[in-house]
Amino acid sequence: MPTILIIGAGLSGLTAARELTRQGHTVTLLDKGRGIGGRLATRRLGNGRADHGAQYFSAQSPEFHALTQEMSQAGVVHEWHLEQSDPAGFRHPRWVGSEGMNSIAKYLAQGLDVQTECTVTRIAPAKTGWTLTTTEQDNTRIFSADVLLITVPAPQALALCDASGLALAEADKAALEAIHYAPCLAVMLQLNGPSQLPEPGGLKQTDGDDQHSPVAWLADNAQKGISPNQTTVTLHASHAFSQAHLDDPDQQALIPLLTADVTHYIPADSIVDRQIHRWRYSNAIKRHPTPFLSAQAHAPLLFGGDGFGNGNVEGAFLSGLAMGKRVQGLKSKV
Ligand SMILES: Cc1cc2nc3c(=O)[nH]c(=O)nc-3n(C[C@H](O)[C@H](O)[C@H](O)COP(=O)(O)OP(=O)(O)OC[C@H]3O[C@@H](n4cnc5c(N)ncnc54)[C@H](O)[C@@H]3O)c2cc1C
């Protein structure tokens, strides 16, 4: 049975690894992060938690619905009733990780071989597959496998291929270049009391491109049910604000520009701690039409993630699942 390496232990990579492990393959996931989950990101703030990447997800496909039900029964996710405040905006159920969105990644990673703090810096063709070089500080490691799945955002995948001197076929390169992501600046606030956000604690302020407010989204993580002992609030800057300030050298200086706009929800004197995170790649706004790309190469090489297919959390899951099933179909050819 072919061995598999997966670059990226976000939802897409974890889902592919689960599917391939279930089929009996030997799978290793490599991720540059200190933890797993990628944009399923939850941070500790005082005695509380704040999700600063994905805020919630929907599960409309039968496959993701089944996993969501399994995770709900295991206490890993719960429903967030956003339709209470915006029935038109939230027509179907929205779900969240019960201890933050990262708990979904932790649940899925159980039993998998995940190597963290492993930045893949080079991809090289090997006789029967691929050899990857990972670098962390002074530590260089080599991994080899028959099949390679790349689940990092497409611009990062292209940069990695480029840095490796790996020439992709023109059509594959063009397909990856056509995928685009919006940036997002995320602020996490620890409060000394409740916020003034109305129930259920999640509020879209703009459609993302509207310039009238620099804050597009607010979430009270206590009301959301992921931070019971401490109120924390997540703010996402609008697309326009994030784009304009993405490369500002002093990111901390952006926090007051954002909080000043929402003092009616978050009184300035209630903020006791604040952090900002820059997402250069948040949501995939231009995506490849199919759930993954099978590249023309001497050995199986698949590109996937939320830039392929439906996008968002559910699209990342479906991409990972589709890649897992495709590798099963490759068995006889490797
Ligand atoms: C601010 C924000 C808000 C969002 N809101 C929502 C939402 O409310 N609902 C929703 O459905 N979706 C939302 N999304 C999108 C959602 O988070 C993503 O679609 C999904 O999590 C992507 O999963 P993925 O596995 O494709 O990619 P990722 O989660 O990005 O995983 C890729 C992994 O690759 C790793 N990596 C990158 N380069 C390397 C390398 N060279 N070597 C090793 N590892 C590497 C990264 O560390 C990362 O863990 C949001 C995203 C952001 C950032």
Short mmCIF file of all heavy atoms in Angstrom, two decimals, residues 6-14 30-41 52-58 101 115 118-121 134 151-153 156-157 160 181-186 217 236 277 279 281-284 304-307 311-317 319, ligand 1:
data_model
loop_
_atom_site.label_atom_id
_atom_site.label_comp_id
_atom_site.label_asym_id
_atom_site.label_seq_id
_atom_site.Cartn_x
_atom_site.Cartn_y
_atom_site.Cartn_z
N ILE A 6 1.35 14.30 4.16
CA ILE A 6 0.39 15.41 3.99
C ILE A 6 1.01 16.67 4.58
O ILE A 6 1.39 16.67 5.76
CB ILE A 6 -0.95 15.11 4.69
CG1 ILE A 6 -1.56 13.81 4.14
CG2 ILE A 6 -1.92 16.28 4.53
CD1 ILE A 6 -2.88 13.41 4.78
N ILE A 7 1.11 17.71 3.78
CA ILE A 7 1.60 18.99 4.30
C ILE A 7 0.38 19.79 4.76
O ILE A 7 -0.50 20.12 3.96
CB ILE A 7 2.38 19.79 3.24
CG1 ILE A 7 3.47 18.92 2.60
CG2 ILE A 7 3.00 21.03 3.89
CD1 ILE A 7 4.28 19.64 1.52
N GLY A 8 0.31 20.07 6.06
CA GLY A 8 -0.79 20.86 6.63
C GLY A 8 -1.73 19.98 7.45
O GLY A 8 -2.34 19.05 6.92
N ALA A 9 -1.81 20.29 8.76
CA ALA A 9 -2.73 19.56 9.65
C ALA A 9 -3.89 20.47 10.04
O ALA A 9 -4.28 20.55 11.20
CB ALA A 9 -1.99 19.04 10.88
N GLY A 10 -4.43 21.19 9.04
CA GLY A 10 -5.71 21.88 9.22
C GLY A 10 -6.82 20.87 8.97
O GLY A 10 -6.57 19.65 8.86
N LEU A 11 -8.04 21.35 8.84
CA LEU A 11 -9.17 20.43 8.71
C LEU A 11 -9.04 19.54 7.47
O LEU A 11 -9.36 18.35 7.51
CB LEU A 11 -10.49 21.22 8.66
CG LEU A 11 -11.74 20.37 8.53
CD1 LEU A 11 -11.84 19.36 9.67
CD2 LEU A 11 -12.98 21.25 8.49
N SER A 12 -8.57 20.12 6.39
CA SER A 12 -8.47 19.36 5.14
C SER A 12 -7.45 18.22 5.28
O SER A 12 -7.75 17.06 4.95
CB SER A 12 -8.07 20.34 4.04
OG SER A 12 -7.90 19.66 2.86
N GLY A 13 -6.26 18.54 5.77
CA GLY A 13 -5.23 17.52 5.93
C GLY A 13 -5.64 16.45 6.93
O GLY A 13 -5.43 15.25 6.71
N LEU A 14 -6.24 16.87 8.04
CA LEU A 14 -6.67 15.91 9.07
C LEU A 14 -7.74 14.97 8.52
O LEU A 14 -7.74 13.77 8.80
CB LEU A 14 -7.20 16.65 10.30
CG LEU A 14 -6.15 17.39 11.14
CD1 LEU A 14 -6.82 18.33 12.14
CD2 LEU A 14 -5.24 16.39 11.87
N LEU A 30 2.51 16.78 8.39
CA LEU A 30 3.56 17.72 8.81
C LEU A 30 2.96 19.11 8.89
O LEU A 30 2.31 19.56 7.93
CB LEU A 30 4.70 17.72 7.78
CG LEU A 30 5.31 16.35 7.46
CD1 LEU A 30 6.29 16.47 6.30
CD2 LEU A 30 6.01 15.78 8.68
N ASP A 31 3.12 19.77 10.01
CA ASP A 31 2.58 21.13 10.12
C ASP A 31 3.60 22.06 10.77
O ASP A 31 4.28 21.68 11.73
CB ASP A 31 1.27 21.14 10.94
CG ASP A 31 0.47 22.40 10.65
OD1 ASP A 31 0.92 23.52 11.03
OD2 ASP A 31 -0.58 22.28 10.01
N LYS A 32 3.65 23.27 10.26
CA LYS A 32 4.63 24.23 10.78
C LYS A 32 4.21 24.82 12.13
O LYS A 32 5.02 25.37 12.86
CB LYS A 32 4.88 25.34 9.77
CG LYS A 32 3.70 26.26 9.55
CD LYS A 32 4.05 27.36 8.56
CE LYS A 32 2.87 28.29 8.33
NZ LYS A 32 3.16 29.35 7.38
N GLY A 33 2.92 24.70 12.45
CA GLY A 33 2.42 25.33 13.68
C GLY A 33 2.88 24.61 14.94
O GLY A 33 3.30 23.45 14.89
N ARG A 34 2.78 25.34 16.08
CA ARG A 34 3.09 24.69 17.36
C ARG A 34 2.01 23.68 17.71
O ARG A 34 2.21 22.70 18.38
CB ARG A 34 3.21 25.73 18.48
CG ARG A 34 4.64 26.04 18.79
CD ARG A 34 4.78 26.88 20.02
NE ARG A 34 4.30 28.23 19.78
CZ ARG A 34 3.99 29.09 20.73
NH1 ARG A 34 4.05 28.75 21.98
NH2 ARG A 34 3.57 30.30 20.42
N GLY A 35 0.79 23.98 17.24
CA GLY A 35 -0.33 23.07 17.43
C GLY A 35 -0.92 22.72 16.08
O GLY A 35 -0.42 23.14 15.04
N ILE A 36 -2.00 21.94 16.12
CA ILE A 36 -2.65 21.55 14.87
C ILE A 36 -3.89 22.42 14.65
O ILE A 36 -4.28 23.19 15.51
CB ILE A 36 -3.07 20.06 14.94
CG1 ILE A 36 -4.00 19.85 16.15
CG2 ILE A 36 -1.87 19.17 14.99
CD1 ILE A 36 -4.71 18.55 16.13
N GLY A 37 -4.52 22.26 13.50
CA GLY A 37 -5.82 22.91 13.26
C GLY A 37 -5.77 24.06 12.29
O GLY A 37 -6.80 24.42 11.74
N GLY A 38 -4.61 24.67 12.08
CA GLY A 38 -4.52 25.78 11.14
C GLY A 38 -5.49 26.89 11.49
O GLY A 38 -5.42 27.46 12.59
N ARG A 39 -6.42 27.15 10.58
CA ARG A 39 -7.37 28.26 10.81
C ARG A 39 -8.53 27.88 11.73
O ARG A 39 -9.38 28.72 12.02
CB ARG A 39 -7.87 28.77 9.45
CG ARG A 39 -6.83 29.67 8.79
CD ARG A 39 -7.19 29.97 7.36
NE ARG A 39 -6.80 28.90 6.46
CZ ARG A 39 -7.28 28.73 5.24
NH1 ARG A 39 -8.21 29.55 4.79
NH2 ARG A 39 -6.84 27.74 4.47
N LEU A 40 -8.57 26.65 12.21
CA LEU A 40 -9.45 26.30 13.33
C LEU A 40 -8.64 26.68 14.58
O LEU A 40 -8.02 25.83 15.22
CB LEU A 40 -9.79 24.81 13.34
CG LEU A 40 -10.59 24.28 12.15
CD1 LEU A 40 -10.78 22.78 12.26
CD2 LEU A 40 -11.96 24.97 12.09
N ALA A 41 -8.64 27.97 14.89
CA ALA A 41 -7.65 28.51 15.83
C ALA A 41 -8.34 29.10 17.07
O ALA A 41 -9.23 29.93 16.95
CB ALA A 41 -6.84 29.58 15.13
N HIS A 52 -10.04 32.86 17.00
CA HIS A 52 -9.66 34.02 16.18
C HIS A 52 -9.64 33.71 14.69
O HIS A 52 -9.54 34.60 13.88
CB HIS A 52 -8.35 34.64 16.64
CG HIS A 52 -7.18 33.73 16.67
ND1 HIS A 52 -7.08 32.67 17.54
CD2 HIS A 52 -6.02 33.73 15.97
CE1 HIS A 52 -5.93 32.05 17.35
NE2 HIS A 52 -5.28 32.67 16.40
N GLY A 53 -9.75 32.44 14.31
CA GLY A 53 -9.92 32.08 12.90
C GLY A 53 -11.39 31.84 12.63
O GLY A 53 -12.24 32.70 12.91
N ALA A 54 -11.70 30.64 12.12
CA ALA A 54 -13.11 30.31 11.83
C ALA A 54 -13.97 30.48 13.08
O ALA A 54 -13.55 30.12 14.19
CB ALA A 54 -13.20 28.88 11.31
N GLN A 55 -15.16 31.03 12.91
CA GLN A 55 -16.03 31.35 14.05
C GLN A 55 -17.12 30.30 14.27
O GLN A 55 -17.58 30.11 15.38
CB GLN A 55 -16.70 32.71 13.80
CG GLN A 55 -15.70 33.83 13.66
CD GLN A 55 -14.98 34.08 14.97
OE1 GLN A 55 -15.60 34.51 15.94
NE2 GLN A 55 -13.69 33.79 15.02
N TYR A 56 -17.56 29.70 13.20
CA TYR A 56 -18.64 28.70 13.27
C TYR A 56 -18.65 27.96 11.94
O TYR A 56 -17.95 28.36 11.00
CB TYR A 56 -20.01 29.36 13.53
CG TYR A 56 -20.33 30.47 12.57
CD1 TYR A 56 -20.74 30.20 11.26
CD2 TYR A 56 -20.19 31.80 12.94
CE1 TYR A 56 -21.01 31.22 10.36
CE2 TYR A 56 -20.46 32.84 12.05
CZ TYR A 56 -20.86 32.53 10.77
OH TYR A 56 -21.11 33.53 9.86
N PHE A 57 -19.44 26.90 11.85
CA PHE A 57 -19.51 26.21 10.56
C PHE A 57 -20.91 25.69 10.35
O PHE A 57 -21.69 25.55 11.29
CB PHE A 57 -18.48 25.08 10.47
CG PHE A 57 -18.72 23.93 11.43
CD1 PHE A 57 -19.46 22.82 11.03
CD2 PHE A 57 -18.19 23.95 12.70
CE1 PHE A 57 -19.66 21.75 11.91
CE2 PHE A 57 -18.39 22.91 13.58
CZ PHE A 57 -19.13 21.80 13.19
N SER A 58 -21.22 25.41 9.09
CA SER A 58 -22.47 24.73 8.78
C SER A 58 -22.11 23.36 8.20
O SER A 58 -20.97 23.12 7.79
CB SER A 58 -23.30 25.54 7.80
OG SER A 58 -22.54 25.86 6.67
N MET A 101 -13.02 26.35 18.35
CA MET A 101 -12.99 25.63 17.07
C MET A 101 -11.81 24.66 16.99
O MET A 101 -11.87 23.65 16.30
CB MET A 101 -12.91 26.63 15.92
CG MET A 101 -14.16 27.49 15.77
SD MET A 101 -15.62 26.55 15.27
CE MET A 101 -15.40 26.52 13.50
N GLN A 115 3.17 15.55 12.99
CA GLN A 115 4.44 16.17 13.41
C GLN A 115 4.26 17.69 13.35
O GLN A 115 4.04 18.24 12.27
CB GLN A 115 5.57 15.76 12.46
CG GLN A 115 5.73 14.27 12.28
CD GLN A 115 6.41 13.61 13.47
OE1 GLN A 115 7.29 14.21 14.08
NE2 GLN A 115 5.97 12.42 13.82
N CYS A 118 7.08 21.55 12.18
CA CYS A 118 7.79 20.94 11.05
C CYS A 118 7.45 21.75 9.80
O CYS A 118 6.47 21.46 9.12
CB CYS A 118 7.27 19.52 10.86
SG CYS A 118 8.33 18.25 11.44
N THR A 119 8.21 22.77 9.53
CA THR A 119 7.94 23.58 8.34
C THR A 119 8.56 22.90 7.12
O THR A 119 9.79 22.70 7.09
CB THR A 119 8.55 25.00 8.49
OG1 THR A 119 8.03 25.58 9.69
CG2 THR A 119 8.21 25.88 7.31
N VAL A 120 7.73 22.55 6.16
CA VAL A 120 8.28 21.93 4.94
C VAL A 120 8.92 23.04 4.12
O VAL A 120 8.27 24.02 3.76
CB VAL A 120 7.18 21.20 4.13
CG1 VAL A 120 7.78 20.62 2.85
CG2 VAL A 120 6.55 20.10 4.97
N THR A 121 10.21 22.88 3.85
CA THR A 121 10.94 23.92 3.12
C THR A 121 11.36 23.46 1.72
O THR A 121 11.77 24.26 0.90
CB THR A 121 12.20 24.35 3.90
OG1 THR A 121 12.90 23.17 4.30
CG2 THR A 121 11.83 25.15 5.13
N THR A 134 12.15 19.22 6.14
CA THR A 134 11.51 20.17 7.07
C THR A 134 12.62 20.83 7.89
O THR A 134 13.64 20.21 8.18
CB THR A 134 10.52 19.48 8.03
OG1 THR A 134 11.23 18.66 8.95
CG2 THR A 134 9.50 18.64 7.28
N THR A 151 -2.00 20.70 1.46
CA THR A 151 -3.28 21.32 1.85
C THR A 151 -3.11 22.73 2.38
O THR A 151 -3.99 23.25 3.04
CB THR A 151 -3.99 20.45 2.92
OG1 THR A 151 -3.25 20.52 4.15
CG2 THR A 151 -4.12 18.99 2.49
N VAL A 152 -1.97 23.35 2.11
CA VAL A 152 -1.75 24.73 2.56
C VAL A 152 -2.42 25.68 1.55
O VAL A 152 -2.66 25.28 0.41
CB VAL A 152 -0.24 25.03 2.69
CG1 VAL A 152 0.45 23.94 3.51
CG2 VAL A 152 0.44 25.14 1.33
N PRO A 153 -2.74 26.92 1.94
CA PRO A 153 -3.33 27.85 0.96
C PRO A 153 -2.49 27.92 -0.33
O PRO A 153 -1.25 27.89 -0.28
CB PRO A 153 -3.34 29.18 1.72
CG PRO A 153 -3.48 28.78 3.16
CD PRO A 153 -2.66 27.52 3.29
N GLN A 156 0.76 29.80 -0.76
CA GLN A 156 1.88 29.21 -0.01
C GLN A 156 2.38 27.94 -0.70
O GLN A 156 3.57 27.65 -0.70
CB GLN A 156 1.44 28.89 1.43
CG GLN A 156 1.16 30.14 2.25
CD GLN A 156 0.69 29.82 3.66
OE1 GLN A 156 -0.07 28.88 3.88
NE2 GLN A 156 1.14 30.61 4.62
N ALA A 157 1.46 27.19 -1.30
CA ALA A 157 1.85 25.97 -2.02
C ALA A 157 2.72 26.33 -3.22
O ALA A 157 3.75 25.69 -3.48
CB ALA A 157 0.60 25.22 -2.46
N LEU A 160 6.15 27.38 -2.10
CA LEU A 160 6.94 26.22 -1.68
C LEU A 160 7.48 25.46 -2.89
O LEU A 160 8.66 25.07 -2.92
CB LEU A 160 6.07 25.31 -0.80
CG LEU A 160 6.69 24.02 -0.27
CD1 LEU A 160 7.98 24.31 0.52
CD2 LEU A 160 5.69 23.28 0.60
N TYR A 181 -7.33 34.48 -1.79
CA TYR A 181 -7.80 34.55 -0.40
C TYR A 181 -7.97 36.00 0.02
O TYR A 181 -7.19 36.86 -0.40
CB TYR A 181 -6.78 33.90 0.54
CG TYR A 181 -6.77 32.40 0.46
CD1 TYR A 181 -6.09 31.74 -0.55
CD2 TYR A 181 -7.44 31.64 1.40
CE1 TYR A 181 -6.09 30.37 -0.64
CE2 TYR A 181 -7.44 30.26 1.33
CZ TYR A 181 -6.77 29.63 0.31
OH TYR A 181 -6.78 28.27 0.24
N ALA A 182 -8.94 36.23 0.91
CA ALA A 182 -9.06 37.55 1.54
C ALA A 182 -8.19 37.55 2.79
O ALA A 182 -8.10 36.53 3.47
CB ALA A 182 -10.52 37.80 1.92
N PRO A 183 -7.58 38.70 3.11
CA PRO A 183 -6.87 38.78 4.38
C PRO A 183 -7.85 39.13 5.50
O PRO A 183 -8.97 39.59 5.22
CB PRO A 183 -5.89 39.93 4.16
CG PRO A 183 -6.59 40.82 3.18
CD PRO A 183 -7.46 39.93 2.33
N CYS A 184 -7.47 38.92 6.74
CA CYS A 184 -8.33 39.33 7.86
C CYS A 184 -7.48 39.61 9.09
O CYS A 184 -6.66 38.78 9.48
CB CYS A 184 -9.36 38.24 8.17
SG CYS A 184 -10.47 38.70 9.53
N LEU A 185 -7.71 40.78 9.69
CA LEU A 185 -7.07 41.10 10.97
C LEU A 185 -8.07 40.75 12.07
O LEU A 185 -9.22 41.19 12.04
CB LEU A 185 -6.70 42.58 11.03
CG LEU A 185 -5.66 43.01 9.98
CD1 LEU A 185 -5.46 44.52 9.99
CD2 LEU A 185 -4.33 42.30 10.24
N ALA A 186 -7.62 39.93 13.02
CA ALA A 186 -8.50 39.47 14.10
C ALA A 186 -7.99 40.00 15.44
O ALA A 186 -6.79 39.88 15.74
CB ALA A 186 -8.54 37.95 14.13
N TRP A 217 -17.20 41.83 12.05
CA TRP A 217 -17.79 40.73 12.84
C TRP A 217 -17.39 40.87 14.30
O TRP A 217 -16.24 41.20 14.61
CB TRP A 217 -17.30 39.39 12.26
CG TRP A 217 -17.50 38.20 13.14
CD1 TRP A 217 -16.56 37.57 13.90
CD2 TRP A 217 -18.73 37.49 13.37
NE1 TRP A 217 -17.12 36.52 14.56
CE2 TRP A 217 -18.45 36.44 14.27
CE3 TRP A 217 -20.04 37.65 12.90
CZ2 TRP A 217 -19.42 35.54 14.70
CZ3 TRP A 217 -21.01 36.76 13.33
CH2 TRP A 217 -20.70 35.72 14.22
N HIS A 236 -13.40 40.82 14.00
CA HIS A 236 -12.73 40.67 12.70
C HIS A 236 -12.86 41.99 11.95
O HIS A 236 -13.96 42.52 11.79
CB HIS A 236 -13.37 39.55 11.88
CG HIS A 236 -12.95 38.18 12.33
ND1 HIS A 236 -13.58 37.04 11.92
CD2 HIS A 236 -11.94 37.78 13.14
CE1 HIS A 236 -12.98 36.00 12.48
NE2 HIS A 236 -11.99 36.42 13.22
N HIS A 277 -4.15 39.28 15.64
CA HIS A 277 -3.54 38.24 14.79
C HIS A 277 -3.81 38.61 13.33
O HIS A 277 -4.93 38.96 12.96
CB HIS A 277 -4.14 36.86 15.10
CG HIS A 277 -3.49 35.76 14.32
ND1 HIS A 277 -2.35 35.12 14.77
CD2 HIS A 277 -3.79 35.20 13.12
CE1 HIS A 277 -1.99 34.20 13.88
NE2 HIS A 277 -2.84 34.24 12.86
N TRP A 279 -4.18 37.39 9.61
CA TRP A 279 -4.37 36.25 8.69
C TRP A 279 -4.17 36.78 7.27
O TRP A 279 -5.03 37.52 6.77
CB TRP A 279 -5.79 35.68 8.80
CG TRP A 279 -6.12 35.05 10.11
CD1 TRP A 279 -6.87 35.60 11.11
CD2 TRP A 279 -5.75 33.75 10.57
NE1 TRP A 279 -6.98 34.73 12.16
CE2 TRP A 279 -6.31 33.57 11.85
CE3 TRP A 279 -5.01 32.70 10.02
CZ2 TRP A 279 -6.15 32.41 12.59
CZ3 TRP A 279 -4.83 31.54 10.76
CH2 TRP A 279 -5.40 31.41 12.02
N TYR A 281 -4.18 34.84 4.75
CA TYR A 281 -5.12 34.01 3.98
C TYR A 281 -6.24 33.60 4.94
O TYR A 281 -6.03 32.75 5.80
CB TYR A 281 -4.40 32.77 3.42
CG TYR A 281 -3.16 33.14 2.65
CD1 TYR A 281 -1.89 32.88 3.15
CD2 TYR A 281 -3.27 33.81 1.43
CE1 TYR A 281 -0.76 33.27 2.45
CE2 TYR A 281 -2.14 34.20 0.73
CZ TYR A 281 -0.88 33.93 1.24
OH TYR A 281 0.24 34.33 0.55
N SER A 282 -7.42 34.21 4.79
CA SER A 282 -8.52 33.83 5.71
C SER A 282 -9.53 32.98 4.95
O SER A 282 -9.51 31.76 5.02
CB SER A 282 -9.15 35.05 6.38
OG SER A 282 -9.86 35.86 5.47
N ASN A 283 -10.41 33.61 4.18
CA ASN A 283 -11.39 32.85 3.40
C ASN A 283 -10.97 32.84 1.93
O ASN A 283 -10.53 33.86 1.40
CB ASN A 283 -12.79 33.48 3.51
CG ASN A 283 -13.38 33.22 4.88
OD1 ASN A 283 -13.64 32.09 5.26
ND2 ASN A 283 -13.56 34.29 5.65
N ALA A 284 -11.17 31.69 1.29
CA ALA A 284 -10.83 31.58 -0.13
C ALA A 284 -11.96 32.22 -0.94
O ALA A 284 -13.07 31.70 -0.97
CB ALA A 284 -10.64 30.12 -0.51
N GLY A 304 -5.06 20.36 -2.24
CA GLY A 304 -6.43 20.53 -1.75
C GLY A 304 -6.49 21.57 -0.65
O GLY A 304 -5.54 22.31 -0.42
N GLY A 305 -7.63 21.59 0.06
CA GLY A 305 -7.84 22.60 1.10
C GLY A 305 -9.06 23.43 0.75
O GLY A 305 -9.79 23.12 -0.20
N ASP A 306 -9.27 24.51 1.50
CA ASP A 306 -10.50 25.29 1.30
C ASP A 306 -10.48 26.13 0.03
O ASP A 306 -11.49 26.75 -0.32
CB ASP A 306 -10.81 26.16 2.53
CG ASP A 306 -9.80 27.26 2.71
OD1 ASP A 306 -8.64 27.13 2.23
OD2 ASP A 306 -10.15 28.28 3.33
N GLY A 307 -9.35 26.16 -0.66
CA GLY A 307 -9.30 26.87 -1.94
C GLY A 307 -9.87 26.03 -3.09
O GLY A 307 -9.89 26.48 -4.24
N GLY A 311 -15.17 25.79 -0.34
CA GLY A 311 -14.57 26.76 0.58
C GLY A 311 -15.07 26.61 2.00
O GLY A 311 -15.88 25.72 2.31
N ASN A 312 -14.54 27.44 2.88
CA ASN A 312 -14.93 27.45 4.29
C ASN A 312 -14.60 26.12 4.98
O ASN A 312 -13.93 25.25 4.41
CB ASN A 312 -16.42 27.78 4.46
CG ASN A 312 -16.68 29.25 4.25
OD1 ASN A 312 -15.82 30.08 4.50
ND2 ASN A 312 -17.85 29.58 3.77
N VAL A 313 -15.09 25.99 6.21
CA VAL A 313 -14.80 24.79 6.99
C VAL A 313 -15.34 23.55 6.29
O VAL A 313 -14.63 22.56 6.10
CB VAL A 313 -15.39 24.95 8.41
CG1 VAL A 313 -15.40 23.62 9.16
CG2 VAL A 313 -14.60 25.99 9.20
N GLU A 314 -16.58 23.61 5.87
CA GLU A 314 -17.18 22.42 5.24
C GLU A 314 -16.45 22.07 3.93
O GLU A 314 -16.22 20.90 3.65
CB GLU A 314 -18.67 22.63 4.98
CG GLU A 314 -19.32 21.39 4.39
CD GLU A 314 -20.84 21.37 4.49
OE1 GLU A 314 -21.45 22.43 4.71
OE2 GLU A 314 -21.40 20.26 4.35
N GLY A 315 -16.08 23.08 3.16
CA GLY A 315 -15.36 22.83 1.91
C GLY A 315 -13.98 22.21 2.16
O GLY A 315 -13.54 21.35 1.40
N ALA A 316 -13.31 22.65 3.24
CA ALA A 316 -12.01 22.07 3.58
C ALA A 316 -12.18 20.60 3.94
O ALA A 316 -11.39 19.74 3.52
CB ALA A 316 -11.38 22.83 4.74
N PHE A 317 -13.23 20.31 4.69
CA PHE A 317 -13.52 18.91 5.04
C PHE A 317 -13.76 18.08 3.77
O PHE A 317 -13.18 17.01 3.58
CB PHE A 317 -14.74 18.84 5.97
CG PHE A 317 -15.29 17.45 6.11
CD1 PHE A 317 -14.74 16.54 6.99
CD2 PHE A 317 -16.35 17.03 5.31
CE1 PHE A 317 -15.23 15.24 7.09
CE2 PHE A 317 -16.85 15.73 5.40
CZ PHE A 317 -16.28 14.84 6.30
N SER A 319 -12.90 18.64 0.74
CA SER A 319 -11.67 18.53 -0.06
C SER A 319 -10.80 17.40 0.49
O SER A 319 -10.30 16.55 -0.26
CB SER A 319 -10.92 19.86 -0.05
OG SER A 319 -9.66 19.71 -0.64
C1 LIG B 1 -10.39 35.02 10.30
C2 LIG B 1 -11.06 33.83 9.68
C3 LIG B 1 -12.43 33.65 9.79
C4 LIG B 1 -13.05 32.55 9.24
N1 LIG B 1 -14.38 32.35 9.46
C5 LIG B 1 -14.95 31.21 9.04
C6 LIG B 1 -16.27 30.88 9.46
O1 LIG B 1 -16.86 31.56 10.29
N2 LIG B 1 -16.84 29.76 8.93
C7 LIG B 1 -16.16 28.94 8.06
O2 LIG B 1 -16.74 27.92 7.63
N3 LIG B 1 -14.90 29.22 7.70
C8 LIG B 1 -14.28 30.31 8.18
N4 LIG B 1 -12.96 30.56 7.88
C9 LIG B 1 -12.27 29.68 6.93
C10 LIG B 1 -11.85 28.34 7.56
O3 LIG B 1 -11.12 28.58 8.74
C11 LIG B 1 -11.01 27.60 6.56
O4 LIG B 1 -11.74 27.44 5.35
C12 LIG B 1 -10.54 26.20 6.98
O5 LIG B 1 -10.23 26.14 8.35
C13 LIG B 1 -9.35 25.84 6.11
O6 LIG B 1 -8.83 24.57 6.43
P1 LIG B 1 -7.61 24.01 5.56
O7 LIG B 1 -7.24 22.69 6.14
O8 LIG B 1 -7.95 24.08 4.13
O9 LIG B 1 -6.41 25.05 5.75
P2 LIG B 1 -5.62 25.50 7.06
O10 LIG B 1 -6.48 25.43 8.26
O11 LIG B 1 -5.00 26.82 6.72
O12 LIG B 1 -4.46 24.40 7.21
C14 LIG B 1 -3.25 24.50 6.51
C15 LIG B 1 -2.12 24.11 7.47
O13 LIG B 1 -0.90 24.10 6.73
C16 LIG B 1 0.14 24.50 7.60
N5 LIG B 1 1.26 24.93 6.75
C17 LIG B 1 1.33 25.99 5.91
N6 LIG B 1 2.53 26.02 5.28
C18 LIG B 1 3.23 24.94 5.75
C19 LIG B 1 4.54 24.42 5.50
N7 LIG B 1 5.38 24.99 4.62
N8 LIG B 1 4.93 23.32 6.18
C20 LIG B 1 4.12 22.70 7.07
N9 LIG B 1 2.86 23.16 7.34
C21 LIG B 1 2.43 24.26 6.69
C22 LIG B 1 -0.48 25.60 8.44
O14 LIG B 1 0.22 25.76 9.68
C23 LIG B 1 -1.92 25.07 8.63
O15 LIG B 1 -2.06 24.38 9.86
C24 LIG B 1 -12.30 31.62 8.48
C25 LIG B 1 -10.91 31.79 8.38
C26 LIG B 1 -10.30 32.86 9.00
C27 LIG B 1 -8.80 32.98 8.98
#
